[in-house]
Amino acid sequence: MATVKEFRNNVRPNWCPGCGDFAVQASMQRALGNLNLEPENVALISGIGCSGRISGYLNVYGFHGVHGRSLPIAQGVKLANRNLTVLASGGDGDGFGIGLGHFMHAVRRNMDITYVVMDNQIYGLTKGQHSPTSAFGFKAKTTPAGNIENAVSPLQIALSAGITYLAQGFSSDVNQLTELIQGGIEHKGFSLINVFSPCVTYNKVNTYEWFKEHTVSLDQFPDYDPTNRAAAIAKVMETDGLCTGLIFKDDKKPVFEDLLQNYPQEAYLNTKLEMDQGLFDELMKEFA
């Protein structure tokens, strides 16, 4: 039975010292270890950006895809082998910029995948341009006079599109983040764990201190019901999206895989690739 240690490898992350992504990596490893999963039964698909490196830093099957396309690849992996625990990851630019369309469709499709987004409100890999989640007025290299676009709200989009597990964590709280990722993996359906993961090099506004001052934990609201979608939308709007914890969960909606007609319970990987000789001969006649 695997432990947290077995989800670590010898690859040293090239993230900047103090980057919030280190805590995301540690939380994912802890969540997988806590669930007693085996590394050979887990696949992690990532996109492009600093966050995209994470698929090489965990001792599981990893695939570093193209920009904004981690979710289509992850869905393909899940369809090919439904027995795998499939995670996808990326940053706010990757997931909510070029990948926003894929995100919407993944949410409404509700495949059994866990999506972890490292949201730092800036493009760090390309040295500091504003991102889809940068606030109005945010100054960056591409917006020296201040951002004139409204920020994308991934929480509101996810809730409106019908997500069945939605949580938000903060890199400074590894225990809560581990618990949220673990819950997302255990949930049967599509789950998003959006993580406030500060970029210490290029974002001097949304720092660790800023998030500690501005975020509020849903644990402070004992009457909050995470199974009530309308209440979740109201709470996200009330807190301007700066809440952490389990925001919404729906265990009743069927997953995409179970609705597919003639979709085998056995992974295609284990399907015998044999063909009846008569059928083979008929097919060959078409190429004669």
mmCIF file of all heavy atoms in Angstrom, residues 119 153-156 168 194 196 211 214-216 233-244 247:
data_model
loop_
_atom_site.group_PDB
_atom_site.id
_atom_site.type_symbol
_atom_site.label_atom_id
_atom_site.label_comp_id
_atom_site.label_asym_id
_atom_site.label_seq_id
_atom_site.Cartn_x
_atom_site.Cartn_y
_atom_site.Cartn_z
ATOM 1 N N ASP A 119 -3.991 29.376 -9.125
ATOM 2 C CA ASP A 119 -4.477 30.691 -9.553
ATOM 3 C C ASP A 119 -3.651 31.782 -8.859
ATOM 4 O O ASP A 119 -3.787 32.012 -7.662
ATOM 5 C CB ASP A 119 -5.964 30.791 -9.176
ATOM 6 C CG ASP A 119 -6.625 32.052 -9.701
ATOM 7 O OD1 ASP A 119 -5.913 32.919 -10.237
ATOM 8 O OD2 ASP A 119 -7.856 32.166 -9.565
ATOM 9 N N SER A 153 -14.560 34.973 -13.184
ATOM 10 C CA SER A 153 -14.861 34.329 -11.903
ATOM 11 C C SER A 153 -15.037 32.837 -12.132
ATOM 12 O O SER A 153 -16.123 32.381 -12.506
ATOM 13 C CB SER A 153 -16.133 34.904 -11.283
ATOM 14 O OG SER A 153 -16.494 34.149 -10.130
ATOM 15 N N PRO A 154 -13.984 32.047 -11.928
ATOM 16 C CA PRO A 154 -14.113 30.600 -12.188
ATOM 17 C C PRO A 154 -15.142 29.931 -11.291
ATOM 18 O O PRO A 154 -15.786 28.964 -11.710
ATOM 19 C CB PRO A 154 -12.704 30.069 -11.917
ATOM 20 C CG PRO A 154 -12.042 31.107 -11.070
ATOM 21 C CD PRO A 154 -12.637 32.400 -11.475
ATOM 22 N N LEU A 155 -15.330 30.445 -10.092
ATOM 23 C CA LEU A 155 -16.297 29.830 -9.178
ATOM 24 C C LEU A 155 -17.719 30.027 -9.693
ATOM 25 O O LEU A 155 -18.528 29.088 -9.711
ATOM 26 C CB LEU A 155 -16.152 30.423 -7.777
ATOM 27 C CG LEU A 155 -14.762 30.338 -7.141
ATOM 28 C CD1 LEU A 155 -14.804 30.889 -5.713
ATOM 29 C CD2 LEU A 155 -14.238 28.907 -7.127
ATOM 30 N N GLN A 156 -18.044 31.250 -10.104
ATOM 31 C CA GLN A 156 -19.394 31.514 -10.613
ATOM 32 C C GLN A 156 -19.652 30.758 -11.915
ATOM 33 O O GLN A 156 -20.749 30.228 -12.133
ATOM 34 C CB GLN A 156 -19.585 33.013 -10.825
ATOM 35 C CG GLN A 156 -19.640 33.824 -9.538
ATOM 36 C CD GLN A 156 -20.044 35.272 -9.787
ATOM 37 O OE1 GLN A 156 -20.936 35.541 -10.570
ATOM 38 N NE2 GLN A 156 -19.384 36.201 -9.115
ATOM 39 N N GLN A 168 -12.188 25.761 -2.921
ATOM 40 C CA GLN A 168 -11.114 26.725 -3.128
ATOM 41 C C GLN A 168 -10.182 26.694 -1.928
ATOM 42 O O GLN A 168 -10.628 26.719 -0.772
ATOM 43 C CB GLN A 168 -11.676 28.126 -3.325
ATOM 44 C CG GLN A 168 -10.631 29.175 -3.738
ATOM 45 C CD GLN A 168 -11.272 30.362 -4.417
ATOM 46 O OE1 GLN A 168 -11.245 30.493 -5.631
ATOM 47 N NE2 GLN A 168 -11.844 31.258 -3.636
ATOM 48 N N ASN A 194 -9.859 25.241 -6.954
ATOM 49 C CA ASN A 194 -9.113 26.440 -7.335
ATOM 50 C C ASN A 194 -8.244 26.854 -6.149
ATOM 51 O O ASN A 194 -8.716 26.919 -5.012
ATOM 52 C CB ASN A 194 -10.078 27.574 -7.700
ATOM 53 C CG ASN A 194 -9.386 28.687 -8.444
ATOM 54 O OD1 ASN A 194 -8.776 28.462 -9.484
ATOM 55 N ND2 ASN A 194 -9.462 29.904 -7.920
ATOM 56 N N PHE A 196 -5.515 29.586 -4.473
ATOM 57 C CA PHE A 196 -4.781 30.844 -4.465
ATOM 58 C C PHE A 196 -3.314 30.515 -4.204
ATOM 59 O O PHE A 196 -2.928 30.156 -3.095
ATOM 60 C CB PHE A 196 -5.329 31.780 -3.391
ATOM 61 C CG PHE A 196 -6.722 32.268 -3.668
ATOM 62 C CD1 PHE A 196 -7.701 32.211 -2.688
ATOM 63 C CD2 PHE A 196 -7.061 32.789 -4.910
ATOM 64 C CE1 PHE A 196 -8.998 32.670 -2.945
ATOM 65 C CE2 PHE A 196 -8.352 33.248 -5.180
ATOM 66 C CZ PHE A 196 -9.315 33.186 -4.193
ATOM 67 N N PHE A 211 -3.759 37.686 0.653
ATOM 68 C CA PHE A 211 -4.783 36.643 0.728
ATOM 69 C C PHE A 211 -5.192 36.381 2.178
ATOM 70 O O PHE A 211 -6.365 36.144 2.475
ATOM 71 C CB PHE A 211 -4.290 35.355 0.066
ATOM 72 C CG PHE A 211 -4.354 35.385 -1.433
ATOM 73 C CD1 PHE A 211 -3.200 35.352 -2.189
ATOM 74 C CD2 PHE A 211 -5.574 35.473 -2.086
ATOM 75 C CE1 PHE A 211 -3.254 35.386 -3.574
ATOM 76 C CE2 PHE A 211 -5.649 35.505 -3.478
ATOM 77 C CZ PHE A 211 -4.478 35.470 -4.224
ATOM 78 N N HIS A 214 -7.620 39.122 3.043
ATOM 79 C CA HIS A 214 -8.860 39.279 2.282
ATOM 80 C C HIS A 214 -9.722 38.019 2.172
ATOM 81 O O HIS A 214 -10.902 38.127 1.823
ATOM 82 C CB HIS A 214 -8.548 39.790 0.869
ATOM 83 C CG HIS A 214 -8.063 41.209 0.821
ATOM 84 N ND1 HIS A 214 -6.740 41.546 1.057
ATOM 85 C CD2 HIS A 214 -8.715 42.379 0.599
ATOM 86 C CE1 HIS A 214 -6.609 42.860 0.962
ATOM 87 N NE2 HIS A 214 -7.783 43.393 0.685
ATOM 88 N N THR A 215 -9.163 36.835 2.395
ATOM 89 C CA THR A 215 -9.972 35.627 2.234
ATOM 90 C C THR A 215 -10.680 35.272 3.536
ATOM 91 O O THR A 215 -10.247 35.634 4.629
ATOM 92 C CB THR A 215 -9.110 34.424 1.796
ATOM 93 O OG1 THR A 215 -8.039 34.224 2.732
ATOM 94 C CG2 THR A 215 -8.540 34.643 0.410
ATOM 95 N N VAL A 216 -11.777 34.550 3.361
ATOM 96 C CA VAL A 216 -12.548 34.105 4.517
ATOM 97 C C VAL A 216 -12.838 32.614 4.355
ATOM 98 O O VAL A 216 -13.165 32.149 3.259
ATOM 99 C CB VAL A 216 -13.862 34.907 4.649
ATOM 100 C CG1 VAL A 216 -14.704 34.795 3.391
ATOM 101 C CG2 VAL A 216 -14.667 34.458 5.843
ATOM 102 N N ILE A 233 -23.775 30.025 -4.797
ATOM 103 C CA ILE A 233 -23.621 31.179 -5.686
ATOM 104 C C ILE A 233 -23.695 32.476 -4.880
ATOM 105 O O ILE A 233 -22.889 33.401 -5.071
ATOM 106 C CB ILE A 233 -24.720 31.150 -6.776
ATOM 107 C CG1 ILE A 233 -24.512 29.953 -7.712
ATOM 108 C CG2 ILE A 233 -24.713 32.447 -7.578
ATOM 109 C CD1 ILE A 233 -25.631 29.745 -8.724
ATOM 110 N N ALA A 234 -24.641 32.530 -3.955
ATOM 111 C CA ALA A 234 -24.787 33.739 -3.139
ATOM 112 C C ALA A 234 -23.548 33.993 -2.285
ATOM 113 O O ALA A 234 -23.090 35.135 -2.155
ATOM 114 C CB ALA A 234 -26.020 33.598 -2.242
ATOM 115 N N LYS A 235 -22.992 32.928 -1.711
ATOM 116 C CA LYS A 235 -21.802 33.099 -0.858
ATOM 117 C C LYS A 235 -20.581 33.533 -1.677
ATOM 118 O O LYS A 235 -19.792 34.379 -1.236
ATOM 119 C CB LYS A 235 -21.510 31.788 -0.122
ATOM 120 C CG LYS A 235 -20.348 31.862 0.876
ATOM 121 C CD LYS A 235 -20.614 32.897 1.969
ATOM 122 C CE LYS A 235 -21.720 32.473 2.907
ATOM 123 N NZ LYS A 235 -21.942 33.454 3.999
ATOM 124 N N VAL A 236 -20.441 32.961 -2.875
ATOM 125 C CA VAL A 236 -19.327 33.351 -3.744
ATOM 126 C C VAL A 236 -19.444 34.832 -4.110
ATOM 127 O O VAL A 236 -18.460 35.585 -4.098
ATOM 128 C CB VAL A 236 -19.301 32.473 -5.010
ATOM 129 C CG1 VAL A 236 -18.368 33.066 -6.068
ATOM 130 C CG2 VAL A 236 -18.865 31.060 -4.657
ATOM 131 N N MET A 237 -20.664 35.276 -4.413
ATOM 132 C CA MET A 237 -20.868 36.686 -4.761
ATOM 133 C C MET A 237 -20.660 37.583 -3.544
ATOM 134 O O MET A 237 -20.069 38.651 -3.639
ATOM 135 C CB MET A 237 -22.259 36.875 -5.357
ATOM 136 C CG MET A 237 -22.451 36.150 -6.693
ATOM 137 S SD MET A 237 -24.088 36.382 -7.407
ATOM 138 C CE MET A 237 -23.999 38.120 -7.841
ATOM 139 N N GLU A 238 -21.137 37.129 -2.415
ATOM 140 C CA GLU A 238 -21.022 37.915 -1.171
ATOM 141 C C GLU A 238 -19.567 38.145 -0.781
ATOM 142 O O GLU A 238 -19.192 39.216 -0.293
ATOM 143 C CB GLU A 238 -21.748 37.171 -0.053
ATOM 144 C CG GLU A 238 -21.640 37.786 1.335
ATOM 145 C CD GLU A 238 -22.250 36.863 2.384
ATOM 146 O OE1 GLU A 238 -23.299 36.250 2.123
ATOM 147 O OE2 GLU A 238 -21.646 36.749 3.468
ATOM 148 N N THR A 239 -18.724 37.123 -1.016
ATOM 149 C CA THR A 239 -17.308 37.215 -0.635
ATOM 150 C C THR A 239 -16.434 37.669 -1.801
ATOM 151 O O THR A 239 -15.210 37.655 -1.699
ATOM 152 C CB THR A 239 -16.799 35.854 -0.130
ATOM 153 O OG1 THR A 239 -16.950 34.877 -1.187
ATOM 154 C CG2 THR A 239 -17.562 35.400 1.099
ATOM 155 N N ASP A 240 -17.056 37.997 -2.935
ATOM 156 C CA ASP A 240 -16.319 38.389 -4.141
ATOM 157 C C ASP A 240 -15.340 37.288 -4.566
ATOM 158 O O ASP A 240 -14.245 37.566 -5.067
ATOM 159 C CB ASP A 240 -15.568 39.710 -3.907
ATOM 160 C CG ASP A 240 -15.168 40.377 -5.215
ATOM 161 O OD1 ASP A 240 -15.798 40.072 -6.249
ATOM 162 O OD2 ASP A 240 -14.211 41.182 -5.205
ATOM 163 N N GLY A 241 -15.734 36.058 -4.326
ATOM 164 C CA GLY A 241 -14.910 34.920 -4.739
ATOM 165 C C GLY A 241 -13.720 34.653 -3.838
ATOM 166 O O GLY A 241 -12.894 33.782 -4.146
ATOM 167 N N LEU A 242 -13.614 35.336 -2.720
ATOM 168 C CA LEU A 242 -12.434 35.197 -1.860
ATOM 169 C C LEU A 242 -12.728 34.307 -0.645
ATOM 170 O O LEU A 242 -12.309 34.596 0.476
ATOM 171 C CB LEU A 242 -11.958 36.585 -1.410
ATOM 172 C CG LEU A 242 -11.387 37.448 -2.535
ATOM 173 C CD1 LEU A 242 -11.168 38.884 -2.058
ATOM 174 C CD2 LEU A 242 -10.068 36.856 -3.045
ATOM 175 N N CYS A 243 -13.435 33.230 -0.878
ATOM 176 C CA CYS A 243 -13.724 32.280 0.201
ATOM 177 C C CYS A 243 -12.916 31.000 -0.022
ATOM 178 O O CYS A 243 -12.576 30.654 -1.148
ATOM 179 C CB CYS A 243 -15.218 31.961 0.243
ATOM 180 S SG CYS A 243 -15.902 31.417 -1.333
ATOM 181 N N THR A 244 -12.597 30.327 1.058
ATOM 182 C CA THR A 244 -11.886 29.051 0.966
ATOM 183 C C THR A 244 -12.709 27.971 1.659
ATOM 184 O O THR A 244 -13.498 28.254 2.556
ATOM 185 C CB THR A 244 -10.491 29.120 1.611
ATOM 186 O OG1 THR A 244 -10.636 29.423 3.005
ATOM 187 C CG2 THR A 244 -9.626 30.174 0.943
ATOM 188 N N ILE A 247 -17.122 24.586 -1.264
ATOM 189 C CA ILE A 247 -18.165 25.538 -1.656
ATOM 190 C C ILE A 247 -19.443 24.824 -2.066
ATOM 191 O O ILE A 247 -20.535 25.230 -1.687
ATOM 192 C CB ILE A 247 -17.651 26.432 -2.800
ATOM 193 C CG1 ILE A 247 -16.433 27.243 -2.322
ATOM 194 C CG2 ILE A 247 -18.749 27.369 -3.299
ATOM 195 C CD1 ILE A 247 -15.687 27.947 -3.438
#
